[in-house]
Amino acid sequence: MTPIEEAKNLPSILRRILESYPGSEQDDRGPENRGYRTSDFPDIQDLIGNRTEPAVEAALGNQSGNYNINPTFGQGAISDIPYIPIERTDETTTTQSGIYVVYLFDPDKKRLYLTLNQGSAEAMRTSSRSGVGPTAATILERHAERYREIIDVPNGFTAKQAELSSELNRSEVYNSGTVFVKEYSPDDLSSTGAVVGDLVTAVETYDHFLDTLYATPEFDIGSKGVWTISPEGGEYWPTWVENEFASIGWSVDDIPESPDSPTGDRTQDSERQIYNFQHEIETGDIIVAGSRVNSIDVPYGIGRVTASFDEFPDVKGVETHDDIAANVDSREFEHSQFIGVDWVTVGTVDPDGGVSVNCLKPDKELFHQWTVHEFEPSLDHFIGALSRRMEVADIAYDVEDTINDFVETLEVERVDDKYGNGKEIPEEDGVEDDGVDIFDEWQAERSSVIETSDDDIELPELVFTQDQKTRLLNRIQSALENGKHVILTGPPGTGKTKLAREVARHYVDENHEMVTASADWSTFDTIGGYRPETDRSLEFHPGVFLDRFMTDEEGTPANEWLIIDELNRADIDKAFGALFSALTGETIRLPFDGKNERPVTLVGDPTDTEVSSLDSNHYFIPPDWRLLATMNTYDKTSLYQMSYAFMRRFAFIPVSVPTAEDIEEDLIQEYAKAWFGTTVPEETANITAELWRTINEVRTIGPAIVRDILAEVRGGDSTDYTDALIMFVMPQLEGLPKTKQRDFPEKVGSVNEDDIDVVDTGQLKQFARDYFEVEFSDENGS
């Protein structure tokens, strides 16, 4: 079978597993009593054991070799939750630790979840260590919250927990560990392109996330060596911290020549460790203390060597290491060789202290059976992961402060500039003098699109009463001239979106962009962020806002207005980030480097001389740039709320429906001519006007919905409005009290006359019963 054919099989394989896997209602299985064994299900065993891995590999294509794919549904007894993990091999090779992408099957709800998730073993071990309060689930949830702050959640996925059934074993840790998720029903697994595309997107985001996560902090440690050492499973750790040293216990006095690296021979390997301790570890080196506890890496602390093996007796004012051992205040301390260490502790200073952690590493273990050896992971990646774990476990309160404590004690240089530290930022040399000019010169060559616009705004296909039109346009023009951005508010169908487009066209012609807000939006969508290139390098790409302010890669400014439809569907504070300050004239340096390794800057104050040069990293907001947005007032209580900090940058302008006095035959005919180029029969106009007034007594609707009604009935031979009401009006009753939904059919039925049946109230009641689950007092619901 070709790779393409294998990839095409993935959705059907996932669906067959989901539909055929036994749920807990089919047996009495649970953590203590599982009723089935894997051998009882040969078809599932074939799907998960033989078919799934090649299908996933084919979907990932040439990149599949970078990942460990190990689908399973248990060993012996079947597991409650079968899963298909995709693990980057330098991050983890087990779902018990690290971060990975995983399909999680819920056989009870018949739902499949594609998630970015976390292993629970380290969190469980951390929560069980002395002095740590949060549960493992809480630790995982806190990590997920922090990861969502830096991750670019892809479209179609949601930054929330999975919702695996609580009755299933391990559902709590899987749910708690979820960073983002996409849920599938069996019917959702019918599209090959969508399912394979989702997986590729999730894995690409996973890669980008790990690269971003482990990019900070970044250290320059110079020539310092980095070592790992075990304090006898934690037993000697309190003594080490109290006496500011590290020690080993072998009695060999000296090994003058370097032995071979560890080979498995106990004598030779012991000699290697003694030699490292006596001759390789130098003053100024860095040493990590930790142990392997129940197959989990547990670091106790990190320190800087203050005195080597040869120097330490002099520091202590004695002649030999035996003299040091004799002065150690510990009854059962049996080590005999020492180096001085200034420690930064992790967790409590006792044998059961420490915090388990996972980080990128070339081997699956941080702390081997070899007591003294070179530390294999990148030190900065390790300290970043450890500091994040300390914060969520309530051992430290700020990641940056913790990292900087390590930097100060270890005497290393921090060179990353994500938090304004370290790396020197090159001078802003901009563009050559004979190239593009500074922003003020670009601005001086153009006129304000707002100040030079004298004509009235044209509103084709939009009909308002004269008073309403005058009031509406005066408010919009006044707000724009006074430097405000505009949010058009109103019920559905009042023409807010078309109005926003016509306003933008009036001022900037087609030089504008329209987007629809989403609950999935983050600053990655609006401001921008790093994205992987074809060579797997990361490069900054502007989001929907920054894209409006630059014409080309040379940094030529642009003034492309932005329209956001359904603004309050986005989590405003999360999605808009630095734009808050920029909209009020602040200049914001973003936490990204552009192609020239200079920080990307959003310039809200173009007169700021420090960033005045036109540069590919400078995004200027011209004084005459405006943001136009629409907001459905029926959604405002159920969707994301806008902070006052955001609201005060805007003028809120209502786009209302005509009053009951204005809704007459003449207005309907005016709408019909604008919409269809011709009038409608007089009877149709009268009935439509009466229906519109009646509907508005229950739920106000705008002209756009009336247009849909007229389009449905104007070409027919009858005046039956039933279908139009069911298709276009009744869904708008969602969210109203049940009493109003129940009364609506009879309410609109009042327009029926003796010789004209405008609506069939029986059909309306049936729809209300099916759609809103309302009940009617009469038996037949008519």
Side-chain angles (χ1 to χ4, degrees), residues 419-441:
Y419 299 94
N421 297 301
K423 186 187 296 182
E424 181 179 351
I425 300 172
E427 292 185 4
E428 301 280 1
D429 52 5
V431 188
E432 296 295 329
D433 290 340
D434 58 352
V436 183
D437 298 321
I438 63 174
F439 180 83
D440 281 349
E441 295 174 350

Side-chain angles (χ1 to χ4, degrees), residues 37-275:
R37 301 186 67 79
T38 56
S39 56
D40 294 332
F41 299 93
D43 291 343
I44 295 177
Q45 199 165 32
D46 177 60
L47 286 170
I48 296 179
N50 301 321
R51 303 284 304 283
T52 304
E53 183 175 353
V56 172
E57 288 178 346
L60 298 179
N62 295 333
Q63 301 301 319
S64 62
N66 299 327
Y67 309 99
N68 178 59
I69 303 165
N70 185 28
T72 184
F73 71 118
Q75 297 180 352
I78 69 169
S79 59
D80 282 17
I81 304 172
Y83 58 90
I84 305 168
I86 300 96
E87 305 152 345
R88 207 167 90 174
T89 52
D90 59 351
E91 165 69 5
T92 185
T93 56
T94 171
T95 56
Q96 293 297 302
S97 64
I99 301 169
Y100 50 86
V101 172
V102 63
Y103 283 110
L104 299 168
F105 294 83
D106 188 327
D108 284 3
K109 295 166 60 176
K110 296 302 178 188
R111 288 294 183 268
L112 173 66
Y113 299 93
L114 176 58
T115 74
L116 181 67
N117 223 300
Q118 311 168 65
S120 60
E122 293 122 339
M124 289 179 175
R125 186 63 190 169
T126 293
S127 68
S128 69
R129 304 298 285 178
S130 177
V132 176
T135 64
T138 298
I139 290 173
L140 292 172
E141 289 169 5
R142 290 177 177 178
H143 270 309
E145 289 172 3
R146 282 146 183 78
Y147 293 158
R148 291 173 192 138
E149 294 172 0
I150 63 173
I151 201 169
D152 307 320
V153 177
N155 290 335
F157 291 79
T158 306
K160 67 174 187 179
Q161 290 189 14
E163 297 178 350
L164 293 160
S165 301
S166 59
E167 295 80 8
L168 302 176
N169 187 32
R170 294 189 57 77
S171 62
E172 181 183 19
V173 292
Y174 281 134
N175 288 338
S176 299
T178 301
V179 181
F180 63 70
V181 61
K182 181 162 187 176
E183 178 181 340
Y184 302 88
S185 69
D187 290 342
D188 295 330
L189 299 171
S190 57
S191 171
T192 297
V195 173
V196 171
D198 288 343
L199 176 60
V200 172
T201 297
V203 172
E204 287 178 347
T205 306
Y206 170 45
D207 273 346
H208 181 205
F209 169 61
L210 286 185
D211 293 341
T212 303
L213 182 67
Y214 293 123
T216 304
E218 182 182 354
F219 297 157
D220 180 0
I221 66 172
S223 60
K224 295 176 182 289
V226 185
W227 305 87
T228 184
I229 189 169
S230 175
E232 299 286 341
E235 180 182 352
Y236 289 163
W237 176 239
T239 304
W240 286 13
V241 173
E242 180 183 352
N243 293 275
E244 297 184 337
F245 62 51
S247 59
I248 59 176
W250 298 294
S251 59
V252 179
D253 292 332
D254 190 31
I255 301 175
E257 295 183 3
S258 175
D260 294 333
S261 297
T263 62
D265 179 87
R266 184 176 180 84
T267 301
Q268 189 172 3
D269 291 340
S270 297
E271 292 177 351
R272 171 75 259 178
Q273 294 169 68
I274 295 169
Y275 185 84

Side-chain angles (χ1 to χ4, degrees), residues 670-723:
E670 193 176 345
Y671 279 126
K673 285 186 287 187
W675 292 333
F676 312 121
T678 184
T679 59
V680 296
E682 181 180 342
E683 182 182 28
T684 300
N686 279 322
I687 293 173
T688 301
E690 185 177 359
L691 262 178
W692 190 4
R693 290 193 299 268
T694 304
I695 293 167
N696 282 353
E697 293 175 9
V698 180
R699 168 73 96 179
T700 304
I701 62 171
I705 297 175
V706 177
R707 182 193 187 283
D708 293 334
I709 296 173
L710 272 181
E712 179 70 16
V713 302
R714 73 187 186 93
D717 297 328
S718 71
T719 54
D720 185 358
Y721 283 70
T722 304
D723 288 345

